[in-house]
Amino acid sequence: MTYPHPILAREGWPFISSSVLLSVIVWALAGFWWSLPIWLLTIFVVQFFRDPARPIPRDPLAVLSPADGRIVAITHAFDPYAGRDALKISVFMNVFNVHSNRAPVDGALRDVQYFPGKFVNADLDKASEQNERNALVIDCDGRVVTAVQVAGLIARRILCYVKAGDALQRGQRFGFIRFGSRVDVYLPLDTQSRVSIGDKVYASSTVLADFAA
């Protein structure tokens, strides 16, 4: 997948430029040692907004991770966005993960649903129902996949760049969540999970599950 910003996400450009400018001003006025904490903050901001290209498995039965992070839930649950029972796999993103969100499958975007809410720790199961969130319902050749961006304790901004009716390609960048969050993926019940609780996963390159043949 080719990105217009292959190294740093465009969402981070204002934060990075402001942090660098402040670091340079403090260094010029007060010296390097006074500016060091701000330079360290700048380094953190740069790493947070990195957005590397990733290899994308082409297996049509594979469901890819929509986010970097750690698997915190694999369970049968009701998908309230598509109105069905489903296999739910949740990925928790901490502040050191890449926060670019990418499409888990090829398909037509059937619906996009935004819900305001709270900002409890995204590592907790109740975050899926209580926190601010944005759900994408994708029709993948008759199989429904729902990817839900969930804000967290620190994350206060969900960004989504696609709309109902758009065609998505696996690995396509569809959004971004700033500063720690969660992505829930709801899949057909006969889907076979390929991950376990605690596994580290990477957007676009890790296979979360396989559709039934």
Side-chain angles (χ1 to χ4, degrees):
M1 182 66 67
T2 301
Y3 297 97
H5 41 274
I7 299 176
L8 296 174
R10 62 177 180 268
E11 294 85 357
W13 295 349
F15 295 92
I16 294 169
S17 58
S18 297
S19 184
V20 169
L21 179 61
L22 180 60
S23 300
V24 170
I25 290 173
V26 174
W27 189 355
L29 296 178
F32 172 75
W33 292 109
W34 284 101
S35 69
L36 182 58
I38 306 175
W39 281 116
L40 294 176
L41 176 62
T42 300
I43 292 172
F44 167 77
V45 172
V46 169
Q47 72 81 33
F48 180 87
F49 286 105
R50 67 195 188 281
D51 190 15
R54 296 276 173 73
I56 302 172
R58 301 311 307 176
D59 181 353
L61 297 179
V63 179
L64 310 184
S65 178
D68 283 23
R70 174 173 54 88
I71 300 297
V72 294
I74 304 172
T75 185
H76 286 178
F78 183 73
D79 174 1
Y81 313 101
R84 46 136 188 192
D85 292 323
L87 172 67
K88 176 184 173 184
I89 301 178
S90 299
V91 180
F92 172 73
M93 297 181 284
N94 64 37
V95 294
F96 298 105
N97 293 130
V98 172
H99 277 62
S100 176
N101 298 147
R102 310 181 190 189
V105 292
D106 296 327
L109 187 52
R110 195 168 79 186
D111 197 11
V112 178
Q113 306 173 29
Y114 171 78
F115 300 86
K118 300 179 181 179
F119 298 97
V120 302
N121 188 345
D123 202 8
L124 303 176
D125 287 340
K126 64 181 180 180
S128 294
E129 300 177 355
Q130 297 182 7
N131 280 19
E132 178 184 7
R133 57 204 181 277
N134 187 69
L136 282 67
V137 181
I138 307 166
D139 185 343
C140 178
D141 292 331
R143 300 181 177 96
V144 175
V145 175
T146 304
V148 188
Q149 300 170 285
V150 183
L153 183 65
I154 302 174
R156 297 300 174 106
R157 186 66 189 274
I158 293 174
L159 303 172
C160 181
Y161 305 122
V162 292
K163 63 184 184 301
D166 286 353
L168 297 181
Q169 294 182 338
R170 63 183 59 216
Q172 176 182 337
R173 192 180 192 278
F174 70 79
F176 199 92
I177 314 178
R178 288 208 292 255
F179 305 119
S181 46
R182 172 187 184 121
V183 177
D184 295 327
V185 182
Y186 294 89
L187 302 165
L189 284 173
D190 59 357
T191 306
Q192 182 64 46
S193 173
R194 290 267 299 271
V195 292
S196 301
I197 299 293
D199 284 357
K200 291 182 178 180
V201 295
Y202 300 91
S204 300
S205 57
T206 299
V207 176
L208 285 187
D210 290 321
F211 288 132

